[in-house]
Amino acid sequence: MKRDSQDSHLSSTVTQDATAATAAGPLDGVRVLDLSAYIAGPYGCTLLADQGAEVIKIEPPTGDNLRKYPSTLASESRAFLGVNRGKRGLVLDLKQPEALAVLRRLVESADVLVHNFRPSVPARLGIAYEQLCEVNPRLIYCAVTGYGETGPNKDKAGYDQVLQTMTGMCAMQGKADGPPEILYGSVVDYYAASLVAAGVSSALFARERTGQGQYVGVSLLRSALAMQSARMIWADDEPREVGRDMRSGGITGIHPTRDGYLYISANTPHFWQALCEKTGMAALGADERYDSVRKRAQHRDEIVPQLHAALQAHGAREWEAIFGDAVPCAAARRIEDMFDDPQVDAEAMVQHYTYAGTNGDLGYRGFRQPIRFGAGASDNGNAPVSRAAPAFGQHSDEVLRDLGLTDTDIAALRKTEAVQ
């Protein structure tokens, strides 16, 4: 594989080929039209691209709003680049009939369409499921909504942190005597994206059996509650205010060391014993008062001070080496550390990309592919090399020519601004 000079120190960093596309993968040959914005829908389509699908990102003239998010990059959005890898870009103003006609031509040969409009919008634009399945009965039509297709909130805009707050995540994340706290990282969006990819893949599988497409609905509300399946249990005889926190209490968590912080997971008897032995707390490991997760949670005020005192003997990364495979743990790191992490490198998770920005090409390293497909567990060399996220309207002419439009046709569409 080719290496970019600035990444020559990374033995497994993949460099984007000039013609990088979805040339391999189990979804090779599947065409996806991505009309969604922000994270949940777009990253769901990126996951499909990671598996070999051809994804065309279709943006309105105003662009995906994620392009405008704050970024320390001079002229590009770091979030947009990370969320939209592996796609070609087309700009259509679907409020114009000429652009809608182009979309319908794309739908004729597409396998999947994904959008995140509120339920009342698609019919007004002429792209509701019932309208497009007449164009292509084999189409898998995936709608990502905030709250679902029915109910009093169905037409409300849904956002990750709004749904976190609504569904109890923030209340659970906050300290017992403090205010609710947001879980940063758009966790609901990314989980919804996984459901998009899973739902679409299942619908494609069903189509192989029936020959028919179908509607696939993913909502942020369903995603947020699905993430809390272990908490969302209410026995018939339980009161409303009952503890649903799954945290182990005290031992399992982030702890200070002599240098840095260390997360330790020691819930099983085996790991608890190993932790005690390697930190010089053998007496605690032999004490039957602490021989279960529940007991250790009850006696956390006795155990945790001793653990913290023991951890002051070494720094967090030193403890990682000392614990080895015996105690699950991780030193608290920054995301920047992951670019050069030996395990990330060994798994070839990082790729060098070139983004065709308005102010010139931008080279960057980014995440590559979350799922491995191959002949065996050790086969990681056949993953498709991903293309960078598309610049605004970067592939409009290319996609239109693929539809059979001439340069004259394209010029006419551009003149009306139906296409950019």
Side-chain angles (χ1 to χ4, degrees), residues 180-212:
E181 295 182 9
I182 290 291
L183 288 72
Y184 287 101
S186 300
V187 292
V188 175
D189 278 339
Y190 280 103
Y191 188 68
S194 296
L195 295 181
V196 167
V200 166
S201 297
S202 295
L204 286 169
F205 180 74
R207 192 182 69 177
E208 290 301 302
R209 294 176 166 178
T210 66
Q212 293 295 310

Side-chain angles (χ1 to χ4, degrees), residues 104 122-136:
R104 290 173 72 90
R124 294 204 307 265
L125 291 175
I127 61 169
Y129 171 66
E130 294 77 11
Q131 294 165 314
L132 294 186
C133 71
E134 291 180 358
V135 178
N136 180 357

Side-chain angles (χ1 to χ4, degrees), residues 124-313:
R124 294 204 307 265
L125 291 175
I127 61 169
Y129 171 66
E130 294 77 11
Q131 294 165 314
L132 294 186
C133 71
E134 291 180 358
V135 178
N136 180 357
R138 289 174 53 83
L139 182 69
I140 306 302
Y141 183 102
C142 179
V144 183
T145 60
Y147 299 88
E149 295 80 2
T150 59
N153 291 346
K154 69 181 181 68
D155 281 316
K156 291 180 65 174
Y159 292 93
D160 183 292
Q161 287 82 8
V162 173
L163 272 300
Q164 283 190 35
T165 307
M166 173 186 175
T167 60
M169 286 186 175
C170 298
M172 188 65 71
Q173 181 73 6
K175 295 180 175 59
D177 56 350
E181 295 182 9
I182 290 291
L183 288 72
Y184 287 101
S186 300
V187 292
V188 175
D189 278 339
Y190 280 103
Y191 188 68
S194 296
L195 295 181
V196 167
V200 166
S201 297
S202 295
L204 286 169
F205 180 74
R207 192 182 69 177
E208 290 301 302
R209 294 176 166 178
T210 66
Q212 293 295 310
Q214 63 178 292
Y215 176 92
V216 176
V218 173
S219 78
L220 298 187
L221 176 57
R222 286 194 291 265
S223 301
L225 293 180
M227 292 176 70
Q228 300 190 83
S229 293
R231 292 185 180 126
M232 202 168 178
I233 300 295
W234 193 337
D236 293 341
D237 58 351
E238 283 186 315
R240 176 182 176 84
E241 301 299 332
V242 61
R244 290 185 170 85
D245 188 358
M246 300 179 301
R247 284 174 283 194
S248 305
I251 305 306
T252 293
I254 296 179
H255 302 282
T257 70
R258 188 171 68 187
D259 180 19
Y261 289 84
L262 184 75
Y263 183 90
I264 296 172
S265 179
N267 289 332
T268 69
H270 171 77
F271 292 140
W272 165 244
Q273 291 294 327
L275 173 67
C276 292
E277 291 171 7
K278 290 184 176 292
T279 55
M281 301 190 304
L284 291 182
D287 195 324
E288 64 180 15
R289 291 178 300 165
Y290 313 134
D291 64 4
S292 73
V293 176
R294 182 171 295 181
K295 290 180 180 179
R296 291 193 290 274
Q298 292 169 346
H299 294 280
R300 67 177 308 280
D301 291 340
E302 303 165 18
I303 301 173
V304 171
Q306 296 182 61
L307 175 62
H308 285 182
L311 291 176
Q312 291 305 305

